[in-house]
Amino acid sequence: LMEVGNIVINGVMGSVSNMINQRIHFSVPSYVEGSIRNRLFSNYFDPRETLLLAETKFTIEEHHIDGKIIMLFEFGSFAILLSAIDALMEKVQN
């Protein structure tokens, strides 16, 4: 599951990086079991970080695996990403 998550995140972040023409640094994903509520109220989550949540569903033969991909952005970095996306959208619209 970690390798699948790594592939998905690399693909998404690579595409976003190419679209906004900026290098994006991110770490290798980790696998954690438990509820999102427990994750958010543990020492694992810094409340100054911005959280992006994506729900996923994988079907592997007879196994149905549901999960969530949580991306944590360091303080201020999500605002920079949004600004780059806004600049791209403005460029595309003009």
Side-chain angles (χ1 to χ4, degrees), residues 13-24:
M13 297 309 288
S15 295
V16 170
S17 177
N18 289 337
M19 285 178 15
I20 63 174
N21 200 27
Q22 291 189 17
R23 188 175 178 138
I24 298 176

Side-chain angles (χ1 to χ4, degrees), residues 86-94:
D86 285 342
L88 173 66
M89 294 304 294
E90 185 175 308
K91 183 178 176 182
V92 169
Q93 291 175 353
N94 293 328

Side-chain angles (χ1 to χ4, degrees), residues 1 56-67:
L1 287 176
T56 62
K57 291 188 181 199
F58 297 101
T59 303
I60 304 171
E61 294 182 9
E62 295 179 6
H63 304 283
H64 297 283
I65 301 170
D66 295 336

Side-chain angles (χ1 to χ4, degrees), residues 39-63:
R39 294 291 104 204
L40 292 179
F41 294 109
S42 70
N43 293 333
Y44 186 73
F45 178 67
D46 182 344
R48 296 173 298 164
E49 296 173 323
T50 299
L51 181 139
L52 180 64
L53 175 66
E55 189 165 352
T56 62
K57 291 188 181 199
F58 297 101
T59 303
I60 304 171
E61 294 182 9
E62 295 179 6
H63 304 283

